[in-house]
């Protein structure tokens, strides 16, 4: 009689398990399968097929019900998701419902969790920037938190490696604080942006205004055409999913590459409840999974685990993986797991109106804005706060949505609105947040979600350093726009809470010392060598640039390391 | 079948009691939008269509009425606006109709274009917040409609390229999708 347990275990055993299928998980799946491993990807979200499931992507405005608005019922039943725009008519089914994504907040915290295969790689903003040694050295130089265990030279080849596959459109500037990527041709700038750029760069030496660096194919090369992707059509409907595969997502890029090896198994609706630790080997042996739909429990096994569930979900999973050896969560010898929660603070800046040049217009919808690399606390510049910010934003001519004379109606109103409005230009800061032990997440002692998992409690807030920086984010923008000739320039400090920028990170940080960090310089848990955490949880500091590209590079680097360690018999 | 109340309690227990009443209700498919929406009569629909056509009239291209703007407005009001805002909106349009009846002894829809324009101008001056809401609704409904987007504006579903600085051709219409 066959031993059913042994057979079942064998059937559920892979060479590697990847938890999560977003930007990081997709890269882990691609790299590990291409290196010959049989990989199981576990995704808690539902199946979400490339092109076929992009419900609103090709719809005309008149084919929407509410022109993007959410309904009162959706707002009432999703009090957290409905706080911000990512939850709207066209993408509302892409996010985990409030009822499924339970969490508590001591202070306001926005947690946007995807409900689909591909995770936030479908809805992301696609801005891609390299960190530099200005970032990697900052903690050590300033005595903040702990030092990064890596420097720019460690990650540089991996940035190049992932960029060639991702396809990033941008302009090379040769700046040390914002190293250039492997670029596809830059997208064009609007007339007003070109003018403002000239004037700012002349009036403020050391400041640069460039086109955004974005994971949209301004031209498709072999690496992208090979997985079925095509060039950007300039529709600017990216967040709904791109039927042309023109921006980088798991579905458009890493998933087809991994699937092409024949070694990928993707299991959607798979809520990973726990990573199982074996005290005999001091290694993880696999995971406990609850099927999100059937509620049945399963166990899967592998000698290598990549935790890529997104910063906060990965951290919650580690926290929930308790054993005698790790009573406070897997790999949490340092007590830092869940702490040092960071996000970027943003939505502070200025905008103004450009007079004249109404004989110039534009063609197409650019799915990208401008970027102004960090210049504060760079070189000889010294402020009364640490770190700095970059600007995103841009300029365009207004459309029919603009404000017009208060009482205007009839043919006058119509004739005015069918013509392009004035040129405008805005700059919005994205600021670095300092790592702070006090900013943390924990698991609720009693409350459980639908799948029986403890819900997360957030206790995080921006501090004095961020508040001081926001003054510069507004005032610098005002000063530059006014000097560039814009009129009626107004500053704005929009609401920005931890989580709002959806750049959450830092809760299982990398470091040299197991006593003060969770991961080593290869994203490997200090005390559990076969578990790698390569999403935003690993970040030791936040930089001010959009982080996804760094997760991709660190994931590819960690996958290479893991396989070489496996071959040496070290895992 | 388990009684509804008990089903809710069980679900609540399963979820560790972490759910608000609203969320639990939503989970059970219960509509929680504070009661019914305004029931819109055919007369109100006709009045709204007529008002929309005064705000965005037919010129060399069709107006809001031909674009069917009122259907979008009614739908968005019904599903996306709280009851009190719906009521104040419909009270606002009824007020214009009432003013027309007082001045001319006829329903708004039966008045001459000049009479309609005068009544809308009067309403705009007397009740700016209502007028702004009405105008915003009509402008959106019209320019996202197929008629508005493809005839009054230039609709370009798949541009295929981007150029940030091109000459504006004489008489060129604004893009229907501006961003």
């Amino acid at each position: 009689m066959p031993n059913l347990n042994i057979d079942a275990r064998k059937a559920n055993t892979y060479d590697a398990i990847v938890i999560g299928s977003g930007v990081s998980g997709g890269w882990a799946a691609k790299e590990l399968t291409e290196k010959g491993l049989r990989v199981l990807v576990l995704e808690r979200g539902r199946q979400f097929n490339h092109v076929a499931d992009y419900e609103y992507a090709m719809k005309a405005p008149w084919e929407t019900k509410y022109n993007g608005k959410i309904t009162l019922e959706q707002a009432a039943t999703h009090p957290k998701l409905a706080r911000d725009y990512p939850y709207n008519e066209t993408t509302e089914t892409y996010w985990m419902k409030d009822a499924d994504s339970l969490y508590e907040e001591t202070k306001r915290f926005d947690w946007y969790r995807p409900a689909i295969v591909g995770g936030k790689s479908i809805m992301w903003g696609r801005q891609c920037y390299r960190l530099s040694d200005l970032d990697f050295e900052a903690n050590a130089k300033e005595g903040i938190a702990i030092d990064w265990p890596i420097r720019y030279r460690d990650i540089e080849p991996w940035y190049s490696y992932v960029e060639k596959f991702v396809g990033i459109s941008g302009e090379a500037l040769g700046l040390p604080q914002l190293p250039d990527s492997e670029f596809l041709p830059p997208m064009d700038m609007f007339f007003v942006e070109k003018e403002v750029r000239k004037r700012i760069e002349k009036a403020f030496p050391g400041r640069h205004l460039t086109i955004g660096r974005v994971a949209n194919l301004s031209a498709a090369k072999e690496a992208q055409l090979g997985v079925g992707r095509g060039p950007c059509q300039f529709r600017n409907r990216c967040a709904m999913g791109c039927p042309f595969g023109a921006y980088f997502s798991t579905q458009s890029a890493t998933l087809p590459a991994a699937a092409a090896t024949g070694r990928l198994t993707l299991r959607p609706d798979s809520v990973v409840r726990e990573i199982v630790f074996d005290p005999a080997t001091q290694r993880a042996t696999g995971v406990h999974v609850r099927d999100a739909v059937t509620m049945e429990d399963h166990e899967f096994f592998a000698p290598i685990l990549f935790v890529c569930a997104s910063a906060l979900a990965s951290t919650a999973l580690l926290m929930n993986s308790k054993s005698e050896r790790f009573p406070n969560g897997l790999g949490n010898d340092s007590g830092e797991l869940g702490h040092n929660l960071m996000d970027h603070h943003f939505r502070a800046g200025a905008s103004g109106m450009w007079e004249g040049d109404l004989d110039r217009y534009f063609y197409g919808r650019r799915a990208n804005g401008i970027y102004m690399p960090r210049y504060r606390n760079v070189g000889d510049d010294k402020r009364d706060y640490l770190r700095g910010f970059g600007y995103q934003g841009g300029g365009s001519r207004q459309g029919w949505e603009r404000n017009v004379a208060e009482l205007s109606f009839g043919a006058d109103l119509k004739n005015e609105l069918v013509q392009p409005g004035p040129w405008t230009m805005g700059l919005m800061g994205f600021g670095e947040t300092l790592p702070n032990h006090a900013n943390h997440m924990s698991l609720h002692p009693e409350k459980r979600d639908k799948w029986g998992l403890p819900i997360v409690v957030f206790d995080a807030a921006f501090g004095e350093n961020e508040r001081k920086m926001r003054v510069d984010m507004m005032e610098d923008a005002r000063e530059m726009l006014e000097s560039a000739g814009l009129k009626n320039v107004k500053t704005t400090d929009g609401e920005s809470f931890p989580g709002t920028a959806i750049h959450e990170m830092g809760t299982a940080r990398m470091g040299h010392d197991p006593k003060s960090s969770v991961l080593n310089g290869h994203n490997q848990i200090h005390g559990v060598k076969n578990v790698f955490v390569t999403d935003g949880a690993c970040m030791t500091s936040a930089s001010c640039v959009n982080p996804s590209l760094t997760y991709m590079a660190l994931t590819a680097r960690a996958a290479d390391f893991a396989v070489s360690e496996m071959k040496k018999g070290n895992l | 079948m388990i009684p509804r109340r008990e089903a809710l309690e069980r679900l609540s227990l399963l979820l560790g009691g972490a759910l608000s009443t609203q969320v639990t209700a939503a989970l059970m498919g219960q509509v929680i939008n504070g009661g019914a929406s305004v029931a819109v009569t055919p007369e109100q629909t006709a009045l709204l269509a007529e008002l929309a056509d005064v705000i965005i009239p037919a010129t060399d291209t069709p107006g809001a009425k031909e674009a069917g703007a009122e259907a979008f407005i009614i739908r968005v009001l019904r599903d996306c606006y709280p009851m009190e805002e719906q009521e104040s909106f419909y009270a606002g349009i009824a007020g214009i109709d009432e003013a027309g009846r007082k001045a001319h002894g006829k329903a708004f829809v039966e008045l001459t274009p000049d009479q309609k324009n005068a009544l809308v101008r009067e309403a705009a001056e007397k009740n700016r917040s209502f007028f702004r809401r009405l105008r915003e609704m009509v402008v959106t409904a019209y320019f996202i409609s197929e008629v508005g987007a493809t005839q009054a504006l230039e609709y370009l579903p798949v541009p295929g390229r981007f150029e940030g600085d091109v000459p504006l051709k004489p008489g060129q219409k604004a893009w229907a999708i501006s961003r």
Side-chain angles (χ1 to χ4, degrees):
Chain A
M1 191 178 148
N3 187 322
L4 289 172
N5 281 335
I6 288 174
D7 284 354
R9 184 170 175 128
K10 210 172 160 188
N12 281 2
T13 298
Y14 295 80
D15 298 329
I17 291 171
V18 175
I19 301 163
S21 65
V23 157
S24 307
W27 266 102
K30 172 185 178 297
E31 293 305 295
L32 295 170
T33 52
E34 287 182 348
K35 289 172 192 297
L37 275 59
R38 288 167 46 259
V39 174
L40 172 67
V41 174
L42 296 167
E43 165 55 55
R44 74 176 301 149
R46 65 187 158 90
Q47 181 56 285
F48 189 69
N49 295 299
H50 189 36
V51 187
D53 287 339
Y54 303 156
E55 189 189 345
Y56 281 86
M58 295 302 275
K59 280 191 178 174
W62 56 88
E63 292 172 315
T64 68
K65 255 178 120 174
Y66 306 113
N67 192 34
K69 265 191 196 306
I70 57 165
T71 64
L72 271 186
E73 191 189 342
Q74 286 165 339
T77 54
H78 297 82
K80 288 180 174 134
L81 271 182
R83 285 168 175 174
D84 212 349
Y85 75 91
Y87 181 69
N88 63 61
E89 182 187 1
T90 62
T91 56
E92 64 106 4
T93 59
Y94 297 5
W95 299 102
M96 261 176 93
K97 297 174 192 306
D98 275 25
D100 293 343
S101 173
L102 301 176
Y103 68 91
E104 291 190 354
E105 48 197 345
T106 308
K107 305 171 193 90
R108 178 169 160 181
F109 190 94
D110 299 344
W111 194 11
Y112 280 85
R113 305 175 74 186
I116 51 176
V117 166
K120 297 191 292 280
S121 80
I122 295 293
M123 302 80 102
W124 69 310
R126 310 171 312 286
Q127 292 289 305
C128 288
Y129 302 93
R130 292 185 178 193
L131 270 68
S132 71
D133 274 334
L134 183 69
D135 302 307
F136 290 116
E137 291 172 355
N139 281 1
K141 279 188 174 168
E142 296 162 359
I144 299 286
I146 58 167
D147 190 15
W148 278 88
I150 57 169
R151 288 293 180 265
Y152 181 62
R153 64 176 177 276
D154 298 308
I155 194 174
E156 184 178 15
W158 295 101
Y159 275 134
S160 288
Y161 176 77
V162 296
E163 285 160 358
K164 284 175 189 163
F165 181 74
V166 170
I168 295 164
S169 157
E171 178 193 27
L173 295 176
L175 299 176
Q177 74 270 34
L178 189 78
D180 296 323
S181 291
E182 306 281 342
F183 286 131
L184 299 175
M187 291 182 186
D188 196 12
M189 292 171 86
F190 283 100
F191 162 76
V192 65
E193 295 168 343
K194 292 176 187 175
E195 283 301 310
V196 169
R197 173 184 189 158
K198 273 187 263 177
R199 297 176 187 202
I200 288 180
E201 291 183 352
K202 191 166 170 229
F204 301 89
R207 300 187 193 178
H208 304 269
L209 200 158
T210 186
I211 185 68
R213 299 175 175 182
V214 69
N216 286 57
L217 301 178
S218 51
K221 292 191 171 180
E222 189 46 45
Q224 292 98 33
L225 294 169
V227 289
R229 302 180 57 195
C232 183
Q233 300 300 308
F234 296 93
R235 302 162 61 250
N236 199 21
R237 288 294 173 269
C238 312
M240 302 170 196
C242 184
F244 304 92
Y247 74 86
F248 174 91
S249 67
T250 295
Q251 272 81 348
S252 72
T254 46
L255 198 61
T261 65
R263 288 183 285 272
L264 174 74
T265 305
L266 170 67
R267 193 180 197 284
D269 299 316
S270 299
V271 181
V272 180
R273 296 162 51 82
E274 191 184 352
I275 296 171
V276 183
F277 178 77
D278 177 10
T281 58
Q282 295 290 302
R283 297 285 188 272
T285 54
V287 292
H288 287 153
V289 168
R290 181 160 291 175
D291 189 292
V293 178
T294 67
M295 293 292 189
E296 281 170 10
D297 289 338
H298 303 271
E299 202 172 351
F300 296 98
F301 308 90
I304 295 177
L305 272 70
F306 267 67
V307 184
C308 304
S310 85
L312 307 178
S314 288
T315 303
L317 172 61
L318 296 179
M319 290 178 133
N320 199 44
S321 303
K322 292 175 181 163
S323 57
E324 216 169 292
R325 166 70 183 84
F326 291 109
N328 300 313
L330 191 73
N332 193 15
D333 286 334
S334 62
E336 293 295 335
L337 185 67
H339 289 267
N340 313 297
L341 174 49
M342 299 174 281
D343 183 17
H344 291 130
H345 63 102
F346 70 139
R347 291 186 177 165
S351 60
M353 311 293 288
W354 180 269
E355 286 178 353
D357 295 298
L358 299 177
D359 57 346
R360 321 178 87 117
Y361 204 26
F362 61 88
Y363 182 94
R365 295 183 292 279
R366 189 185 66 191
N368 190 13
I370 58 89
Y371 194 75
M372 185 177 276
R374 176 177 155 188
Y375 55 87
R376 285 302 183 197
N377 292 317
V378 174
D380 294 332
D381 186 79
K382 289 283 172 285
R383 310 302 292 170
D384 65 345
Y385 56 85
L386 299 171
R387 318 288 165 101
F389 55 89
Y391 280 114
Q392 303 189 25
S396 183
R397 283 193 76 166
Q398 291 185 315
W400 57 265
E401 300 94 339
R402 68 184 180 273
N403 279 323
V404 289
E406 194 166 31
L407 299 181
S408 164
F409 69 90
D412 289 349
L413 174 71
K414 186 180 173 188
N415 290 335
E416 185 180 352
L417 289 181
V418 298
Q419 290 169 38
W423 292 98
T424 66
M425 176 90 191
L427 296 173
M428 178 178 84
F430 270 76
E432 179 164 359
T433 304
L434 292 179
N436 177 354
H437 181 83
N439 286 335
H440 71 283
M441 57 179 273
S442 56
L443 299 184
H444 196 282
E446 288 120 34
K447 292 183 181 174
R448 298 286 181 271
D449 69 12
K450 191 168 159 178
W451 299 281
L453 289 170
I455 72 169
V456 174
V457 182
F458 294 104
D459 185 357
F462 295 133
E464 197 50 30
N465 198 66
E466 288 81 31
R467 274 189 286 278
K468 283 181 182 167
M469 193 187 297
R470 293 179 80 76
V471 177
D472 264 8
M473 283 157 72
M474 287 186 283
E475 283 308 309
D476 284 7
R478 185 191 52 74
E479 188 186 14
M480 286 187 282
L481 292 177
E482 283 179 349
S483 94
L486 284 118
K487 307 291 184 215
N488 198 19
V489 175
K490 287 178 178 152
T491 60
T492 309
D493 187 352
E495 290 195 318
S496 179
F497 300 91
T500 314
I502 321 187
H503 292 169
E504 63 276 12
M505 58 176 105
T507 41
R509 69 184 177 194
M510 295 165 80
H512 294 288
D513 188 349
K515 291 194 195 72
S516 59
S517 59
V518 179
L519 308 172
N520 68 14
H522 291 283
N523 296 75
Q524 194 174 24
I525 292 185
H526 284 300
V528 195
K529 296 294 181 201
N530 65 334
V531 179
F532 296 80
V533 183
T534 67
D535 57 27
C538 76
M539 300 289 278
T540 313
S541 71
S543 173
C544 68
V545 302
N546 305 54
S548 301
L549 180 68
T550 298
Y551 308 160
M552 298 189 211
L554 287 174
T555 302
R557 179 173 173 269
D560 184 66
F561 175 80
V563 172
S564 84
E565 286 292 285
M566 183 190 75
K567 285 180 179 161
K568 287 180 202 156
N570 291 341
L571 288 185
Chain B
M1 209 175 105
I2 311 169
R4 181 173 184 81
R5 189 187 158 78
E6 198 187 324
L8 273 167
E9 280 170 358
R10 281 193 196 179
L11 188 69
S12 187
L13 280 175
L14 176 70
L15 301 170
L19 294 188
S20 68
T21 322
Q22 283 183 332
V23 170
T24 313
L27 255 183
M28 301 300 287
Q30 186 174 316
V31 177
I32 55 158
N33 168 17
S37 298
V38 169
V40 182
T41 64
E43 290 73 24
Q44 283 173 309
T45 304
L47 171 61
L48 182 55
E50 212 60 35
L51 280 166
D53 216 47
V54 173
I55 290 167
I56 303 276
T59 50
D60 54 338
T61 57
K65 197 167 156 185
E66 192 176 328
E70 74 282 0
F72 175 84
I73 298 172
I74 290 167
R75 182 166 66 236
V76 168
L77 275 169
R78 182 191 66 206
D79 295 342
C80 306
Y81 286 82
M83 191 65 178
E84 62 270 21
E85 284 186 49
Q86 297 180 36
E87 282 169 346
S88 101
F89 182 87
Y90 287 107
I93 66 167
I96 298 176
D97 189 55
E98 194 56 37
R101 286 176 197 274
K102 267 192 193 144
H104 310 292
K106 283 183 190 168
F108 185 84
V109 297
E110 291 164 22
L111 301 176
T112 67
D114 283 351
Q115 290 170 331
K116 288 178 185 167
N117 278 324
L119 285 165
V120 170
R121 177 154 297 112
E122 189 187 307
E125 279 159 8
K126 262 177 32 195
N127 189 351
R128 291 190 180 204
S129 67
F130 159 72
F131 175 73
R132 272 198 300 270
R133 167 63 51 84
L134 172 66
R135 187 176 72 175
E136 179 200 320
M137 290 272 184
V138 173
V139 164
T140 302
Y142 179 70
F143 287 118
I144 69 159
S145 73
E146 186 165 9
V147 163
T150 63
Q151 297 184 46
L153 299 169
E154 193 167 348
Y155 179 60
L156 190 62
V158 186
R161 65 174 198 282
F162 174 75
E163 291 169 88
D165 181 12
V166 297
L168 182 72
K169 290 175 231 138
Q172 185 180 347
K173 292 166 175 170
W175 303 118
I177 307 175
S178 52
R179 55 183 180 243

